[in-house]
Amino acid sequence: NCGAPDYRIEIGQAGFFKALSDELETSDEIRERICELITSKSYAALNDLLDRIGDNDTTRALKNLPRLFGGSEVLERAAALYKSEAAVEALDYLGQVYSRIDKLGLGGKINIDMGLVHRSNYYTGLVFRGYIEGSGVTILSGGRYDRLIGEFGSELPATGFGIETDALAKALLSNGAVEKSKPADALVFGEDGSEAQAVINAAELNRKGIICEISTDIDISLAEDYAVCKGINRLDIVSAHAIVTKELKREEDL
């Protein structure tokens, strides 16, 4: 919907990692460290840490998690590593999600990453991250958390996500997918105690066709620097007694 020319989404299953980590005889701090090393795909450090815990089915499976990345074949490889009831249930669910996405014709946009186990104490099931062409930043991040809201007094399983809007906008602007917006005609700054009047003044100017931004700076010099940087030529300074309009030079004219 944002118009990104190309995107990829990675999906994983926090429940599979939890099924493995619960079998480890170690502290919560070590489990969290293992989670971090798997997410960052720090193979050497992960192997060293797990070697200190011991050589068994669980540690061998954990060592392989960062390498389990690709299509539906990843599920078969993961299933061969560990077959506890909780692990099998987690993989079955992930397989159902992937299958339904594929039926929607989006299979080519999705990768399974069993090493995607970020904040496993927070997420309880499906986790996902999204990327777009032109940006190395994670644009989309989220997952399933069935117990989190219950900590605030209401049992409510949920799935949520966040979007890194600044990185998204930067990527779309850089590859020409969207046009860069024109600077506002004016920046309206409210002196201490006159912030509400500044909002009213900006609304009146907008109704007249003069496009305004509201300054969020607390110092007039910072507001002026912002306006110059953004190519805004007019600064309206609203006080309890008057509205003073100041014409500014554009950055390229300085």
Side-chain angles (χ1 to χ4, degrees), residues 88-148:
V88 171
E89 182 180 346
L91 289 177
D92 284 346
Y93 178 77
L94 184 58
Q96 291 178 39
V97 172
Y98 184 84
S99 176
R100 293 181 183 183
I101 293 174
D102 189 49
K103 288 179 180 178
L104 292 173
L106 300 173
K109 299 289 189 181
I110 307 296
N111 287 316
I112 296 174
D113 185 358
M114 298 307 299
L116 187 59
V117 293
H118 58 303
R119 298 189 64 184
S120 60
N121 60 331
Y122 178 94
Y123 292 108
T124 56
L126 184 75
V127 288
F128 49 87
R129 287 179 178 172
Y131 303 88
I132 65 171
E133 182 182 359
S135 177
V137 177
T138 301
I139 298 295
L140 173 72
S141 182
R144 181 84 179 181
Y145 40 87
D146 286 346
R147 293 184 290 272
L148 176 67

Side-chain angles (χ1 to χ4, degrees), residues 211-244:
I211 306 303
C212 297
E213 281 191 36
I214 300 291
S215 173
T216 58
D217 292 306
I218 60 174
D219 183 89
I220 183 63
S221 63
L222 294 176
E224 186 169 335
D225 289 345
Y226 172 84
V228 171
C229 178
K230 293 295 184 180
I232 302 173
N233 299 325
R234 168 177 167 176
L235 176 64
D236 281 14
I237 305 167
V238 181
S239 69
H241 308 292
I243 299 175
V244 177

Side-chain angles (χ1 to χ4, degrees), residues 1 15 17 29 63 84 94 112 116 120 122 132 147 151 153 158 170 172 193-194 206-207 213 227 243:
N1 287 338
F17 172 75
E29 290 76 14
K63 287 179 181 181
S84 73
L94 184 58
I112 296 174
L116 187 59
S120 60
Y122 178 94
I132 65 171
R147 293 184 290 272
E151 296 181 10
K170 184 178 180 180
L172 294 179
S194 298
N206 283 329
R207 282 194 291 271
E213 281 191 36
I243 299 175

